[in-house]
Amino acid sequence: MNKYDAIIAGGGIMASSLAYNLRKDGFTGSIAVFEKDQMYEFSSTPRSEGGIRLSFTTEINILMSRYSLDFYKNFAKEMEVNGESPQIDFKQNGYLYLGTSETMPRLIEEANFQNRCGANMKVLSVEEIHDIIPELNTEDLAGATFDTDAGYMDPYTVLQFYAKKAKSMEVDYIYQPVQSLLAENGKITGVRLESGEEYHAPIVVNACGAWSGALSETIGVDIPVKPFRYQIFCLDLTKKFSKSLPLVFDPTGFYFREEGEKVITGMPHKDPYSFEFSSNKSTFEEEVWPIFYERSQLFEQLKVERSWAGLYDFNTVDQNAIIGGHPEMNGYYVITGFSGHGFQQAPAAGKGLSELIRLGKYETMDLSSLSVERFANNQLILETAIH
Ligand SMILES: Cc1cc2nc3c(=O)[nH]c(=O)nc-3n(C[C@H](O)[C@H](O)[C@H](O)COP(=O)(O)OP(=O)(O)OC[C@H]3O[C@@H](n4cnc5c(N)ncnc54)[C@H](O)[C@@H]3O)c2cc1C
């Protein structure tokens, strides 16, 4: 009874995008998704900022975001279930990278590369920055680059509709925690739940996000993914910016963007590697606030209205996605390690892994550079624009 053709452990955005793509692309076998947290309270996807950008420094990341951006623009239509379409509130306000005379040459070089790979980056003068945000202090700036395609959307609605759509395509979602993977003679055979029940399949995908490294250890197979606590602060400014804000990257590396009437920003926790979810408002006051106040006097009076923390599925080796079959275990696949840019890569990652599982090769995009084998072959993906 407990047999499936494919099992996916974890039921977040990666699992749901994969399940949806498998079905959409014609996989007719039975699929089960096991999710431990039916409310997704601690899952990374709903705790994320839902951002998408093309301003990366490796071609593979730009390629994936380009695919995903086009997909998200069509999301409402694509995910319609029984006449109900998601409202994902996609705001394409752009990402603005402020540059000093020291950093502008590098930003321009990156923008040229990004445009060659399909982005729509613009180089802006200080006057043009002022046109976008009149209240910004630009004294120390020499210009900026502007990722005009970038934006953000509601990640919770995206996740809910991916799962809803997958369920409507006969994917079984079983809300039970997986205790361990099961393997025999170098082959994956299924999963054991915390209840003790076992489910069997010749294909098992680990889509457990920040928990994926720990789950993989249950069969003694290493994937370099750890939970990395990242905190978000939601600010209520007494005086508001006069125009709609893009996401603004300060030369110090800190950023802010609007969130409705509020402004949000984020930073890693000082003690990032743990399954902890607390956040510390005083870090914002001590470390970020003085920098923002220098950048705009509108930050003088504000209240940190709320803060929260979520976990990056952090790839400790090269901070990029790990997608594909595991060379040490037949039938075992992983889709994890996205390190802070997973929300935006989910449509591309799900599409790619669906092709690899069904056809044994990539067709739409070549994601082979993100394979597990790259660590052993020392062919790391060295992306410098990781925020
Ligand atoms: C604060 C924050 C901000 C972010 N901002 C952005 C952003 O702006 N743009 C962007 O692209 N990315 C962003 N990210 C990263 C992004 O959220 C993640 O890369 C992405 O959501 C990962 O998706 P996932 O499906 O792998 O993980 P999850 O959404 O965490 O899904 C994994 C699921 O597996 C389940 N699970 C775990 N273990 C088990 C088990 N043993 N049995 C059954 N189920 C299990 C969990 O409950 C979870 O629901 C951000 C992340 C954080 C934390």
Side-chain angles (χ1 to χ4, degrees), residues 209-255:
W211 296 264
S212 57
L215 186 66
S216 206
E217 276 174 22
T218 61
I219 44 167
V221 171
D222 183 48
I223 44 171
V225 177
K226 285 193 174 172
F228 183 98
R229 184 167 28 155
Y230 196 89
Q231 35 187 6
I232 306 286
F233 306 98
C234 182
L235 316 173
D236 190 3
L237 275 55
T238 306
K239 289 186 194 153
K240 312 287 181 207
F241 285 94
S242 56
K243 291 184 174 176
S244 195
L245 275 183
L247 189 146
V248 181
F249 272 101
D250 193 77
T252 53
F254 290 109
Y255 68 91

Side-chain angles (χ1 to χ4, degrees), residues 9-63:
I13 195 167
M14 293 304 161
S16 301
S17 168
L18 172 61
Y20 155 80
N21 276 291
L22 280 168
R23 278 287 180 259
K24 170 119 181 150
D25 294 345
F27 184 86
T28 53
S30 52
I31 307 174
V33 171
F34 290 90
E35 168 56 54
K36 66 174 176 173
D37 181 1
Q38 185 161 8
M39 304 306 289
Y40 292 105
E41 187 182 352
F42 297 105
S43 310
S44 303
T45 308
R47 285 177 179 253
S48 91
E49 288 178 70
I52 183 161
R53 62 187 162 111
L54 272 73
S55 32
F56 286 97
T57 59
T58 54
E59 194 171 359
I60 185 74
N61 281 332
I62 299 172
L63 187 78

